[in-house]
């Protein structure tokens, strides 16, 4: 009976531990219902149009233009950027190659873990689709590493290797960013003092913060503090299971508890 009571209590502890983990694993990049998706794109890093994760940004441009958007990504997220370029059905002299690049807050080009980052559209193709799934954003990294870190990320979409005859033809672009919450498996022991958001250090020192901040986007539930992750929950679960294993092993090996009969004359 004592073992049964211990198991019931342990199950209650496990339920209480898993509940916050389940709440923490919910997507944190859902767009707000009253926000309006952008209908234009910037032409440089400084003029990149801000877009929240989950929003579909659109823009009308000309072949040869550089199109820039920016979005926030927090620790534990694995962002995926998808772009669709709708091409003009006429005035194309041949194939077109389009490329999607993603840069972090330090303007370091980030490698795509998988996805079609560069694609060539046939002369009669109506559209071309590109995608880039980044590595999981880390809360902290060594200064010499190029790991993705929390902060602003930039999307650059452009055609490469164009001939003079194809420059200036009209195109329509669509971009959307989604993230998968990886959770404690990507947690590290450390965090940045501030996310890599352009202008954040200036805005903290300036009285006119609205004018000083170059990027105003942040994840829907704010930037993570860096110390909490569901890794703590699973560590606690491991400790409870180890304690249960010890109690069970003791119960099985201690015997009936009665002293063994001593032979006469001993």
């Amino acid at each position: 009976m004592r073992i049964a009571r211990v198991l019931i209590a342990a199950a209650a502890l496990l339920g209480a531990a898993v509940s916050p983990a389940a709440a923490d694993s919910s997507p944190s990049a859902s767009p707000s219902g009253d926000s309006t998706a952008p209908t234009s794109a910037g032409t440089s890093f400084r003029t990149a149009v801000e877009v929240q994760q989950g929003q579909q940004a659109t823009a009308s441009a000309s072949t040869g233009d550089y199109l820039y958007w920016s979005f926030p990504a927090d620790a534990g997220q694995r962002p995926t950027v998808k772009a669709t370029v709708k091409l003009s059905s006429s005035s194309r002299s041949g194939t077109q190659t389009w490329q999607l690049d993603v840069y972090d807050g330090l303007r370091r080009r980030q490698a795509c873990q998988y996805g079609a980052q560069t694609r060539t559209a046939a002369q009669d193709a109506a559209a071309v689709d590109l995608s880039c799934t980044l590595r999981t954003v880390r809360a902290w990294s060594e200064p010499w590493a190029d790991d993705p870190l929390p902060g602003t990320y930039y999307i650059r979409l452009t055609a490469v290797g164009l001939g003079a005859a194809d420059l200036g033809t009209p195109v329509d672009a669509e971009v959307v960013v989604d993230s998968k919450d990886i959770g404690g498996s990507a947690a590290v022991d450390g965090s940045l003092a501030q996310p890599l958001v352009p202008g954040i250090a200036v805005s903290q020192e300036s009285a006119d913060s609205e004018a000083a901040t170059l990027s105003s986007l942040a994840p829907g539930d704010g930037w993570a503090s860096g110390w909490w992750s569901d890794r703590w929950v699973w560590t606690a679960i491991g400790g409870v299971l180890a304690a249960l294993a010890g109690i069970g092993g003791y119960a099985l090996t201690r015997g009936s508890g009665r002293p063994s009969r001593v032979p006469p004359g001993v």
Side-chain angles (χ1 to χ4, degrees), residues 51-205:
V51 57
Q52 282 284 8
Q53 292 190 27
Q55 286 183 325
Q56 185 179 59
T58 58
S60 296
S62 300
T63 306
D65 291 344
Y66 284 86
L67 307 180
Y68 286 83
W69 294 269
S70 65
F71 67 94
D74 206 357
Q77 293 182 342
R78 181 181 293 167
T80 296
V81 182
K82 296 180 180 179
T84 299
V85 182
K86 298 179 181 179
L87 305 170
S88 174
S89 58
S90 61
S91 304
R92 296 214 311 268
S93 63
T95 61
Q96 286 187 6
T97 300
W98 286 81
Q99 183 167 310
L100 177 69
D101 296 308
V102 183
Y103 298 81
D104 66 7
L106 298 177
R107 299 186 186 181
R108 302 176 302 182
R109 184 175 180 272
Q110 291 295 316
C112 297
Q113 193 172 28
Y114 52 86
Q117 185 180 6
T118 303
R119 273 191 169 176
T120 300
Q123 184 174 358
D124 58 348
V128 58
D129 296 323
L130 305 103
S131 66
C132 175
T133 298
L134 300 177
R135 295 169 294 167
T136 303
V137 178
R138 296 163 58 91
W140 179 86
S141 179
E142 294 288 349
W144 47 261
D146 62 348
D147 296 319
L149 294 169
T152 299
Y153 282 76
Y154 297 94
I155 304 168
R156 185 177 73 181
L157 179 64
T158 190
V160 295
L162 285 174
D166 290 330
L167 291 173
T169 57
V171 294
D172 292 317
E174 298 177 354
V175 171
V176 63
V177 182
D178 292 306
S179 284
K180 180 180 180 181
D181 192 355
I182 303 303
S185 60
V188 295
D189 295 328
S191 62
L192 299 180
Q194 295 291 343
L196 300 178
V197 176
I200 189 169
V202 180
S203 66
Q204 291 177 346
E205 297 174 0

Side-chain angles (χ1 to χ4, degrees), residues 2-17:
R2 282 186 296 175
I3 296 178
R5 288 195 295 268
V6 171
L7 292 176
I8 292 173
L13 288 175
L14 289 177

